[in-house]
Amino acid sequence: MIAWGWDVKAANSIISSYGTTVFEVMSRLAIEHESINLGQGFPDEDGPADVRQVAADALMSGPNQYPPMMGVPELRQAVAAHASRHYGFSVDWQSEVMVGSGATEVLTDCMMGLIEPGDEVVVIEPLYDCYMPIIRRAGAVVKRIRVTPPDWALPRAELEAAFSDKTKLILLNNPQNPAAKMFSDDELAFIAQLVQRHDAYAICDEVYEHIVFDGRRHTPLITLPGMRERCVKIGSAGKTFSLTGWKVGYATAAPELLAPIAKAHQFVTFTTPPNLQNAVAFGLAKDDAYFSGLGAGMQAKRDRFAAGLARIGFGVIDCQGTYFITADIAPLGFDGDDTAFCRHITIKRA
Ligand code: PMP
């Protein structure tokens, strides 16, 4: 490249084939045009003051040195207690819990730690944008199926066909970004049965486990019969405490499954800021009212937003959980595709 004065060697072709993430692009555009940013999933308000206070105090009192690689004991104990309290399954905090710098890092650790080149990984579209690059970069072949609006029902025959004797794992996001779908008990049982039949694993991205609406309750796949040894359950403090900038995630899995994931983690970030870990441990021990209040508060916002979108002519689709709403732009008669529409409403002043 002339500007550098020497030839730049080719970068990794998989990662280079992706542009800048749409979240960064749209957030930047919204800042530039002083528009309301509806593109990226994060709350308007920061999470609980007491959780933030614990983080602030721990930052000042220290220590601020490398914490244990698997996470501070307080947080690993809190993640184990959370599993037993909310879902009734017992977890050994010492051998079955790992803390990472956000669910994204934990997902990356899973792919780096478990995938052998040529393995197949099943995913369900539409999906969170980091899935494809990290799976492909880890050397796997991606097998995609798709759920479609308005009901987002699992296409069972297609899912069955996507599994093969090369399937290493399915990466399941439930509740699902961006479809705002919660998989039904029947669908989860169907997935569990396929995972077992193909002797595969399930990496369960459950970061929205507490952002669920209309009286629904989240069911982790790991709690289904035969799945305790096959699932990695992933949570995120960013979502559970409305502190998305913190990037504190946690994985729960059987010791044999967690061990290779932890090996990847030790080479990726190794640790996560200790004060944030202590604050998240404090947060996970909050009373039930906090967890139900998180869902109820988001549900009220969903209702207000959905009603507003419907009023101005969007076709709004049922939203069962997560930060996302799917809205059909067809009734608005815009001349252009969805990306052009999003750019248009971000840039153009009323
Ligand atoms: N998984 C899903 C489905 C998400 O939507 C997000 C955030 N948008 C993440 C993982 C990332 O979580 P974290 O910030 O803890 O890395």
Side-chain angles (χ1 to χ4, degrees), residues 83-110:
S84 135
R85 171 177 155 201
H86 292 273
Y87 308 117
F89 72 102
S90 66
V91 171
D92 173 30
W93 70 269
Q94 304 215 50
S95 62
E96 297 191 309
V97 179
M98 183 191 90
V99 177
S101 295
T104 311
E105 189 228 308
V106 177
L107 286 162
T108 308
D109 299 337
C110 289

mmCIF file of all heavy atoms in Angstrom, residues 83-110:
data_model
loop_
_atom_site.group_PDB
_atom_site.id
_atom_site.type_symbol
_atom_site.label_atom_id
_atom_site.label_comp_id
_atom_site.label_asym_id
_atom_site.label_seq_id
_atom_site.Cartn_x
_atom_site.Cartn_y
_atom_site.Cartn_z
ATOM 1 N N ALA A 83 -27.950 -20.096 39.526
ATOM 2 C CA ALA A 83 -28.491 -21.245 38.771
ATOM 3 C C ALA A 83 -29.440 -22.052 39.648
ATOM 4 O O ALA A 83 -30.523 -22.470 39.206
ATOM 5 C CB ALA A 83 -27.350 -22.136 38.287
ATOM 6 N N SER A 84 -29.063 -22.234 40.894
ATOM 7 C CA SER A 84 -29.901 -23.037 41.771
ATOM 8 C C SER A 84 -31.175 -22.265 42.143
ATOM 9 O O SER A 84 -32.269 -22.817 42.135
ATOM 10 C CB SER A 84 -29.043 -23.462 42.957
ATOM 11 O OG SER A 84 -29.701 -23.294 44.141
ATOM 12 N N ARG A 85 -31.033 -20.978 42.398
ATOM 13 C CA ARG A 85 -32.180 -20.174 42.825
ATOM 14 C C ARG A 85 -33.205 -19.962 41.706
ATOM 15 O O ARG A 85 -34.405 -20.082 41.908
ATOM 16 C CB ARG A 85 -31.653 -18.832 43.313
ATOM 17 C CG ARG A 85 -32.695 -17.796 43.588
ATOM 18 C CD ARG A 85 -31.996 -16.554 44.140
ATOM 19 N NE ARG A 85 -32.762 -15.373 43.889
ATOM 20 C CZ ARG A 85 -32.250 -14.153 43.876
ATOM 21 N NH1 ARG A 85 -30.964 -13.975 44.077
ATOM 22 N NH2 ARG A 85 -33.017 -13.110 43.652
ATOM 23 N N HIS A 86 -32.731 -19.681 40.491
ATOM 24 C CA HIS A 86 -33.675 -19.352 39.410
ATOM 25 C C HIS A 86 -34.111 -20.573 38.615
ATOM 26 O O HIS A 86 -35.193 -20.568 38.036
ATOM 27 C CB HIS A 86 -33.062 -18.315 38.465
ATOM 28 C CG HIS A 86 -32.881 -16.973 39.110
ATOM 29 N ND1 HIS A 86 -33.866 -16.017 39.142
ATOM 30 C CD2 HIS A 86 -31.825 -16.453 39.778
ATOM 31 C CE1 HIS A 86 -33.431 -14.949 39.799
ATOM 32 N NE2 HIS A 86 -32.190 -15.193 40.187
ATOM 33 N N TYR A 87 -33.262 -21.591 38.536
ATOM 34 C CA TYR A 87 -33.586 -22.706 37.643
ATOM 35 C C TYR A 87 -33.524 -24.067 38.322
ATOM 36 O O TYR A 87 -33.758 -25.095 37.671
ATOM 37 C CB TYR A 87 -32.642 -22.697 36.434
ATOM 38 C CG TYR A 87 -32.591 -21.353 35.736
ATOM 39 C CD1 TYR A 87 -31.409 -20.622 35.667
ATOM 40 C CD2 TYR A 87 -33.742 -20.809 35.160
ATOM 41 C CE1 TYR A 87 -31.364 -19.387 35.041
ATOM 42 C CE2 TYR A 87 -33.707 -19.569 34.534
ATOM 43 C CZ TYR A 87 -32.520 -18.864 34.480
ATOM 44 O OH TYR A 87 -32.490 -17.645 33.867
ATOM 45 N N GLY A 88 -33.126 -24.090 39.582
ATOM 46 C CA GLY A 88 -33.158 -25.328 40.339
ATOM 47 C C GLY A 88 -32.120 -26.365 39.940
ATOM 48 O O GLY A 88 -32.340 -27.544 40.151
ATOM 49 N N PHE A 89 -31.002 -25.941 39.356
ATOM 50 C CA PHE A 89 -29.962 -26.954 39.141
ATOM 51 C C PHE A 89 -28.704 -26.573 39.894
ATOM 52 O O PHE A 89 -28.379 -25.407 40.052
ATOM 53 C CB PHE A 89 -29.712 -27.249 37.651
ATOM 54 C CG PHE A 89 -29.008 -26.198 36.859
ATOM 55 C CD1 PHE A 89 -27.666 -26.326 36.542
ATOM 56 C CD2 PHE A 89 -29.689 -25.089 36.380
ATOM 57 C CE1 PHE A 89 -26.999 -25.366 35.771
ATOM 58 C CE2 PHE A 89 -29.052 -24.114 35.617
ATOM 59 C CZ PHE A 89 -27.716 -24.256 35.315
ATOM 60 N N SER A 90 -28.016 -27.613 40.398
ATOM 61 C CA SER A 90 -26.879 -27.312 41.253
ATOM 62 C C SER A 90 -25.590 -27.311 40.441
ATOM 63 O O SER A 90 -25.419 -28.088 39.494
ATOM 64 C CB SER A 90 -26.807 -28.279 42.430
ATOM 65 O OG SER A 90 -26.538 -29.558 41.939
ATOM 66 N N VAL A 91 -24.726 -26.393 40.823
ATOM 67 C CA VAL A 91 -23.490 -26.133 40.079
ATOM 68 C C VAL A 91 -22.341 -26.089 41.078
ATOM 69 O O VAL A 91 -22.459 -25.455 42.132
ATOM 70 C CB VAL A 91 -23.617 -24.761 39.345
ATOM 71 C CG1 VAL A 91 -22.297 -24.342 38.731
ATOM 72 C CG2 VAL A 91 -24.722 -24.796 38.300
ATOM 73 N N ASP A 92 -21.257 -26.744 40.748
ATOM 74 C CA ASP A 92 -20.056 -26.665 41.585
ATOM 75 C C ASP A 92 -19.251 -25.441 41.145
ATOM 76 O O ASP A 92 -18.687 -25.439 40.041
ATOM 77 C CB ASP A 92 -19.225 -27.951 41.430
ATOM 78 C CG ASP A 92 -17.892 -27.817 42.146
ATOM 79 O OD1 ASP A 92 -17.838 -27.086 43.166
ATOM 80 O OD2 ASP A 92 -16.898 -28.396 41.684
ATOM 81 N N TRP A 93 -19.234 -24.418 41.997
ATOM 82 C CA TRP A 93 -18.639 -23.142 41.558
ATOM 83 C C TRP A 93 -17.155 -23.278 41.217
ATOM 84 O O TRP A 93 -16.631 -22.547 40.397
ATOM 85 C CB TRP A 93 -18.871 -22.036 42.597
ATOM 86 C CG TRP A 93 -18.097 -22.184 43.878
ATOM 87 C CD1 TRP A 93 -18.499 -22.817 45.000
ATOM 88 C CD2 TRP A 93 -16.787 -21.652 44.159
ATOM 89 N NE1 TRP A 93 -17.528 -22.741 45.970
ATOM 90 C CE2 TRP A 93 -16.471 -22.021 45.488
ATOM 91 C CE3 TRP A 93 -15.862 -20.906 43.432
ATOM 92 C CZ2 TRP A 93 -15.257 -21.677 46.091
ATOM 93 C CZ3 TRP A 93 -14.648 -20.557 44.037
ATOM 94 C CH2 TRP A 93 -14.359 -20.946 45.346
ATOM 95 N N GLN A 94 -16.496 -24.236 41.810
ATOM 96 C CA GLN A 94 -15.036 -24.325 41.579
ATOM 97 C C GLN A 94 -14.694 -24.952 40.232
ATOM 98 O O GLN A 94 -13.738 -24.550 39.589
ATOM 99 C CB GLN A 94 -14.378 -25.135 42.682
ATOM 100 C CG GLN A 94 -14.681 -24.563 44.043
ATOM 101 C CD GLN A 94 -13.527 -24.719 45.000
ATOM 102 O OE1 GLN A 94 -12.405 -24.375 44.671
ATOM 103 N NE2 GLN A 94 -13.805 -25.226 46.176
ATOM 104 N N SER A 95 -15.474 -25.946 39.822
ATOM 105 C CA SER A 95 -15.103 -26.653 38.586
ATOM 106 C C SER A 95 -16.042 -26.356 37.420
ATOM 107 O O SER A 95 -15.777 -26.761 36.301
ATOM 108 C CB SER A 95 -15.083 -28.165 38.829
ATOM 109 O OG SER A 95 -16.368 -28.606 39.205
ATOM 110 N N GLU A 96 -17.165 -25.654 37.690
ATOM 111 C CA GLU A 96 -18.180 -25.513 36.647
ATOM 112 C C GLU A 96 -18.520 -24.070 36.277
ATOM 113 O O GLU A 96 -19.455 -23.843 35.503
ATOM 114 C CB GLU A 96 -19.462 -26.240 37.062
ATOM 115 C CG GLU A 96 -19.256 -27.745 37.233
ATOM 116 C CD GLU A 96 -20.548 -28.510 37.373
ATOM 117 O OE1 GLU A 96 -21.384 -28.117 38.211
ATOM 118 O OE2 GLU A 96 -20.743 -29.510 36.644
ATOM 119 N N VAL A 97 -17.804 -23.090 36.823
ATOM 120 C CA VAL A 97 -18.112 -21.690 36.495
ATOM 121 C C VAL A 97 -16.837 -20.971 36.069
ATOM 122 O O VAL A 97 -15.803 -21.098 36.725
ATOM 123 C CB VAL A 97 -18.733 -20.938 37.703
ATOM 124 C CG1 VAL A 97 -19.022 -19.483 37.331
ATOM 125 C CG2 VAL A 97 -20.004 -21.618 38.192
ATOM 126 N N MET A 98 -16.952 -20.229 34.976
ATOM 127 C CA MET A 98 -15.828 -19.407 34.509
ATOM 128 C C MET A 98 -16.341 -18.003 34.186
ATOM 129 O O MET A 98 -17.396 -17.853 33.570
ATOM 130 C CB MET A 98 -15.224 -20.022 33.244
ATOM 131 C CG MET A 98 -14.000 -19.271 32.742
ATOM 132 S SD MET A 98 -13.511 -19.833 31.084
ATOM 133 C CE MET A 98 -14.472 -18.704 30.069
ATOM 134 N N VAL A 99 -15.588 -17.005 34.601
ATOM 135 C CA VAL A 99 -15.942 -15.612 34.303
ATOM 136 C C VAL A 99 -15.083 -15.136 33.145
ATOM 137 O O VAL A 99 -13.896 -15.470 33.060
ATOM 138 C CB VAL A 99 -15.681 -14.727 35.554
ATOM 139 C CG1 VAL A 99 -15.966 -13.260 35.247
ATOM 140 C CG2 VAL A 99 -16.496 -15.216 36.744
ATOM 141 N N GLY A 100 -15.684 -14.369 32.239
ATOM 142 C CA GLY A 100 -14.920 -13.800 31.130
ATOM 143 C C GLY A 100 -15.313 -12.350 30.907
ATOM 144 O O GLY A 100 -16.252 -11.838 31.543
ATOM 145 N N SER A 101 -14.609 -11.694 30.001
ATOM 146 C CA SER A 101 -14.877 -10.281 29.743
ATOM 147 C C SER A 101 -16.031 -10.138 28.750
ATOM 148 O O SER A 101 -15.832 -9.848 27.569
ATOM 149 C CB SER A 101 -13.608 -9.586 29.255
ATOM 150 O OG SER A 101 -12.655 -9.606 30.304
ATOM 151 N N GLY A 102 -17.209 -10.383 29.252
ATOM 152 C CA GLY A 102 -18.420 -10.308 28.434
ATOM 153 C C GLY A 102 -18.771 -11.662 27.842
ATOM 154 O O GLY A 102 -17.908 -12.545 27.677
ATOM 155 N N ALA A 103 -20.051 -11.811 27.522
ATOM 156 C CA ALA A 103 -20.508 -13.045 26.880
ATOM 157 C C ALA A 103 -19.776 -13.249 25.557
ATOM 158 O O ALA A 103 -19.507 -14.382 25.156
ATOM 159 C CB ALA A 103 -22.016 -12.985 26.656
ATOM 160 N N THR A 104 -19.433 -12.165 24.901
ATOM 161 C CA THR A 104 -18.757 -12.265 23.608
ATOM 162 C C THR A 104 -17.411 -12.970 23.748
ATOM 163 O O THR A 104 -17.046 -13.815 22.929
ATOM 164 C CB THR A 104 -18.558 -10.859 22.988
ATOM 165 O OG1 THR A 104 -19.805 -10.168 23.061
ATOM 166 C CG2 THR A 104 -18.109 -10.937 21.560
ATOM 167 N N GLU A 105 -16.682 -12.606 24.805
ATOM 168 C CA GLU A 105 -15.403 -13.308 24.996
ATOM 169 C C GLU A 105 -15.649 -14.781 25.307
ATOM 170 O O GLU A 105 -14.948 -15.655 24.774
ATOM 171 C CB GLU A 105 -14.584 -12.688 26.138
ATOM 172 C CG GLU A 105 -13.171 -13.275 26.168
ATOM 173 C CD GLU A 105 -12.673 -13.742 27.516
ATOM 174 O OE1 GLU A 105 -12.723 -12.980 28.479
ATOM 175 O OE2 GLU A 105 -12.210 -14.897 27.613
ATOM 176 N N VAL A 106 -16.638 -15.061 26.126
ATOM 177 C CA VAL A 106 -16.902 -16.450 26.492
ATOM 178 C C VAL A 106 -17.302 -17.256 25.247
ATOM 179 O O VAL A 106 -16.863 -18.395 25.059
ATOM 180 C CB VAL A 106 -17.989 -16.524 27.590
ATOM 181 C CG1 VAL A 106 -18.317 -17.970 27.909
ATOM 182 C CG2 VAL A 106 -17.525 -15.803 28.855
ATOM 183 N N LEU A 107 -18.094 -16.649 24.382
ATOM 184 C CA LEU A 107 -18.465 -17.320 23.131
ATOM 185 C C LEU A 107 -17.220 -17.614 22.288
ATOM 186 O O LEU A 107 -17.071 -18.699 21.711
ATOM 187 C CB LEU A 107 -19.428 -16.441 22.317
ATOM 188 C CG LEU A 107 -20.870 -16.355 22.841
ATOM 189 C CD1 LEU A 107 -21.592 -15.156 22.237
ATOM 190 C CD2 LEU A 107 -21.621 -17.649 22.509
ATOM 191 N N THR A 108 -16.348 -16.635 22.230
ATOM 192 C CA THR A 108 -15.101 -16.818 21.466
ATOM 193 C C THR A 108 -14.253 -17.930 22.081
ATOM 194 O O THR A 108 -13.704 -18.776 21.370
ATOM 195 C CB THR A 108 -14.308 -15.489 21.424
ATOM 196 O OG1 THR A 108 -15.186 -14.465 20.962
ATOM 197 C CG2 THR A 108 -13.099 -15.572 20.521
ATOM 198 N N ASP A 109 -14.182 -17.937 23.405
ATOM 199 C CA ASP A 109 -13.434 -18.999 24.096
ATOM 200 C C ASP A 109 -14.020 -20.368 23.752
ATOM 201 O O ASP A 109 -13.280 -21.343 23.548
ATOM 202 C CB ASP A 109 -13.499 -18.817 25.616
ATOM 203 C CG ASP A 109 -12.888 -17.509 26.089
ATOM 204 O OD1 ASP A 109 -12.055 -16.941 25.363
ATOM 205 O OD2 ASP A 109 -13.259 -17.058 27.193
ATOM 206 N N CYS A 110 -15.357 -20.434 23.715
ATOM 207 C CA CYS A 110 -16.009 -21.717 23.397
ATOM 208 C C CYS A 110 -15.585 -22.189 22.006
ATOM 209 O O CYS A 110 -15.254 -23.371 21.820
ATOM 210 C CB CYS A 110 -17.535 -21.572 23.421
ATOM 211 S SG CYS A 110 -18.213 -21.352 25.066
#
